Amino acid sequence: MTRTRADWQAIADSLSPRTQAFIDGKFVDAVEGQTTTSISPATGQSLATLAECTAADVDLAVKAARRSFESGVWSRASADTRKATLSKLSALIMDNLDELAVTDSLDMGKLVTDAHTIDVPGSAMILQFYAEAIDKLNGEIPVTPPGNIALVQRVPLGVVGAVIPWNYPLEMAIWKLAPALAAGNSVVLKPAEQSPLSALRLAELAAEAGLPDGVLNVVPGRGETVGRAIGEHPDVDVLTFTGSTEVGKMFMSYSGASNLKQVWLECGGKSANLVFADIDNLNEAAEFAARAIFFNQGEVCSANSRLLVQREIADEFVAAVVAQAKNITVGHPFDPAANMGPLVDRRHTDRVEEYLKQGVALGSVAAGGRRLTIEGSDCYIEPTVITNLAADSAPAKEEIFGPVLAVIPFDTEDEAIALAHNSEYALAASLWTGNLSRAHRVAERLHVGTVSVNTVDALGVTTPFGGFKGSGFGRDLSLHAFDKFTGLKTTWIRY
Ligand code: NAP
Ligand code: MG
């Protein structure tokens, strides 16, 4: 069913967002009574006035999480019970597909059709994957001397703090919550200030699914207050974070200065897309190259924001990418004709605009390059392609987190690999070639978390996702995510 803008707007008009913190199974005001507003970047208008929590609320949430964990109501519940509860939550997410999609779209500007076909169904599917995995996590019996047996089990770690960004509000929450809850932990989640609404609704749905009180707590508020309080809390056992490298480093400090909680970081990226002259289909590769940077307004940690293209096809390839960029319609996220919505907020758009200015000054703008005002909101950026940039210039090297592609030509395979590695990040890379040996040779040498060959940004619930170097460590998705949320416990019996 294709919906019109009016259809989406009617759903938006019918929403009544949850605006309080969710602690110990109840919606509550912030202890200190402060509130803040959530603004839609599509219109600049306020969506809701909601609780702005502080360290006092975090403390209540951690206490509730600890109580629920120690009680065993979830941590020692049968695998069947946990599986049924999380499966129910997965189903409830799909029952509320329209509402959740519209909520994330309004809150942070992504196309509602993407939220509706990707974010929300993806979240339900990921939750189902971890629900199904609960009774398949077997332990080990290692070899021990005669008369002894040792049981090695995966046990939940206790209270998990989760701090997430705004680019995939519901999905980032699920990436963390699904394996953490499946493993039997209790969770305190801080959504991003810009996009708190779907996480609050998710907490309510979790309660409806039968998740016991205190097992999932959602504390909206600012990073410097709520995020920091979670990071420094002496009774949080594990901290799982997705966001910038800068803030990721802070969580390491918070841990070191408090209780040595485990810290798992999914941080930034400046992923390279390596296009060799021997590609099978130039237009297809160009279409993927454009999608890899313009999808979700370029607000994707693994966005292929550096296009490394072999010199002999560079002009033709860039022209094909530019044609793709010029075909993109920027507009209101409910507009069925739009292919790109607004960036998350004015502050972030200012930051991206700064990089546009540098790109204009330091390179040549082949497409886009301007900030746009649409329907009264100036949070829009044209899909932009910049050529003739030095590899070490800021727009070619720093994470922009917007629809800005830096193009750098190369001559040889070695040079391409060296350019790809010329980054503080190591999250992902893509490579395009029609030569099987080159595909394997280059993929093997690329030191990043995920290499996509003849595609871009490949990702799935069954495969681990995460980076090396400044992109962090630990893996989301796949069964490996359980490594973050369980500990190995040995019980040694002499008989
Ligand atoms: P961010 O500024 O690092 O924020 C991420 C989260 O950390 C937010 O909830 C934020 O709170 C909180 N935070 C901010 N300052 C903090 C502090 N001093 N102490 C504790 N918590 C703090 O990142 P962002 O701008 O929201 O998101 C974009 C970044 O996320 C990009 O770098 C992107 O690459 C990265 N990202 C990575 C992945 C991945 O899987 N590798 C996926 C998506 C995004 P506020 O609500 O106050 O902002
Ligand atoms: Mg918002």
Side-chain angles (χ1 to χ4, degrees):
M1 171 186 45
T2 1
R3 289 212 170 91
T4 63
R5 178 159 173 181
D7 295 334
W8 292 118
Q9 192 56 50
I11 297 167
D13 292 342
S14 72
L15 296 181
S16 50
R18 308 301 175 263
T19 58
Q20 294 168 295
F22 191 81
I23 297 175
D24 207 9
K26 287 175 281 299
F27 281 110
V28 291
D29 289 329
V31 172
E32 292 176 17
Q34 283 159 275
T35 57
T36 181
T37 50
S38 188
I39 308 277
S40 176
T43 58
Q45 280 158 11
S46 165
L47 294 171
T49 298
L50 69 158
E52 182 174 340
C53 296
T54 60
D57 305 283
V58 169
D59 195 48
L60 290 177
V62 173
K63 286 198 168 91
R66 175 60 60 193
R67 267 197 312 276
S68 69
F69 184 78
E70 297 302 334
S71 78
V73 62
W74 182 251
S75 53
R76 294 193 297 277
S78 73
D80 283 353
T81 299
R82 279 189 271 146
K83 186 171 171 173
T85 308
L86 295 183
S87 299
K88 176 95 187 288
L89 178 55
S90 172
L92 284 172
I93 289 173
M94 287 311 283
D95 290 348
N96 292 276
L97 169 63
D98 289 350
E99 176 191 338
L100 290 166
V102 165
T103 299
D104 273 357
S105 172
L106 281 175
D107 224 2
M108 57 65 69
K110 72 170 62 221
L111 298 179
V112 70
T113 46
D114 286 347
H116 201 257
T117 55
I118 300 170
D119 296 44
V120 181
S123 298
M125 183 267 286
I126 291 166
L127 198 50
Q128 188 62 42
F129 174 91
Y130 287 103
E132 293 290 346
I134 292 172
D135 54 10
K136 297 166 191 74
L137 279 185
N138 295 324
E140 300 164 17
I141 301 183
V143 176
T144 47
N148 295 268
I149 188 167
L151 316 176
V152 177
Q153 290 167 290
R154 282 182 175 274
V155 295
L157 290 166
V159 177
V160 172
V163 178
I164 57 170
W166 42 260
N167 60 338
Y168 290 87
L170 182 68
E171 218 175 326
M172 285 294 114
I174 292 292
W175 280 26
K176 309 301 187 190
L177 299 183
L181 293 175
N185 299 283
S186 291
V187 178
V188 176
L189 169 73
K190 187 200 103 61
E193 292 175 59
Q194 293 95 330
S195 58
L197 300 178
S198 59
L200 291 170
R201 181 70 175 119
L202 179 66
E204 189 177 41
L205 294 176
E208 191 181 330
L211 196 70
D213 292 352
V215 175
L216 171 60
N217 306 274
V218 180
V219 189
R222 286 156 46 83
E224 303 83 59
T225 49
V226 171
R228 179 174 182 160
I230 295 173
E232 291 182 335
H233 202 290
D235 206 28
V236 170
D237 300 289
V238 186
L239 189 289
T240 176
F241 170 78
T242 291
S244 62
T245 299
E246 184 191 355
V247 176
K249 288 177 180 174
M250 292 182 196
F251 277 103
M252 301 289 283
S253 307
Y254 299 153
S255 169
S258 59
N259 63 338
L260 219 60
K261 58 179 65 63
Q262 296 183 32
V263 176
W264 302 104
L265 304 175
E266 297 279 2
C267 299
K270 187 79 178 177
S271 298
N273 183 10
L274 289 65
V275 180
F276 288 89
D278 59 15
I279 40 173
D280 290 328
N281 183 335
L282 185 139
N283 285 323
E284 182 192 48
E287 194 187 313
F288 274 77
R291 193 190 309 160
I293 180 62
F294 301 132
F295 180 72
N296 209 50
Q297 301 77 236
E299 295 166 323
V300 178
C301 53
S302 49
N304 288 189
S305 49
R306 293 186 295 154
L307 173 61
L308 311 183
V309 54
Q310 203 155 21
R311 205 172 305 272
E312 46 223 271
I313 60 160
D315 288 346
E316 193 189 348
F317 194 78
V318 170
V321 175
V322 165
Q324 293 285 335
K326 291 192 167 155
N327 244 338
I328 289 173
T329 304
V330 183
H332 190 287
F334 288 179
D335 183 349
N339 314 111
M340 246 177 61
L343 302 198
V344 66
D345 63 11
R346 294 190 73 180
R347 199 175 53 162
H348 183 57
T349 315
D350 289 347
R351 198 177 152 271
V352 174
E353 190 184 21
E354 216 25 69
Y355 281 110
L356 289 184
K357 288 182 183 153
Q358 291 181 30
V360 170
L362 301 170
S364 317
V365 175
R370 289 177 309 160
R371 182 173 185 163
L372 304 174
T373 297
I374 295 175
E375 300 181 28
S377 162
D378 65 355
C379 290
Y380 293 86
I381 298 278
E382 285 180 324
T384 297
V385 179
I386 306 176
T387 57
N388 294 322
L389 279 171
D392 280 317
S393 64
K397 196 129 194 223
E398 294 172 16
E399 183 181 46
I400 299 176
F401 220 57
V404 184
L405 179 65
V407 181
I408 301 163
F410 67 85
D411 291 300
T412 65
E413 222 173 87
D414 281 347
E415 193 188 348
I417 291 164
L419 281 167
H421 289 162
N422 180 27
S423 175
E424 71 168 295
Y425 304 110
L427 185 56
S430 306
L431 93 95
W432 290 80
T433 175
N435 179 322
L436 182 66
S437 295
R438 169 172 279 158
H440 280 290
R441 196 163 59 228
V442 177
E444 184 181 80
R445 286 181 61 193
L446 287 171
H447 181 63
V448 293
T450 300
V451 180
S452 304
V453 180
N454 291 340
T455 182
V456 290
D457 233 347
L459 169 109
V461 68
T462 57
T463 52
F465 182 85
F468 301 126
K469 293 168 62 182
S471 295
F473 47 84
R475 293 294 180 262
D476 280 327
L477 303 178
S478 81
L479 295 178
H480 294 285
F482 282 118
D483 296 342
K484 301 195 289 195
F485 303 117
T486 58
L488 293 178
K489 176 175 170 184
T490 300
T491 304
W492 186 301
I493 299 157
R494 185 173 67 86
Y495 57 88

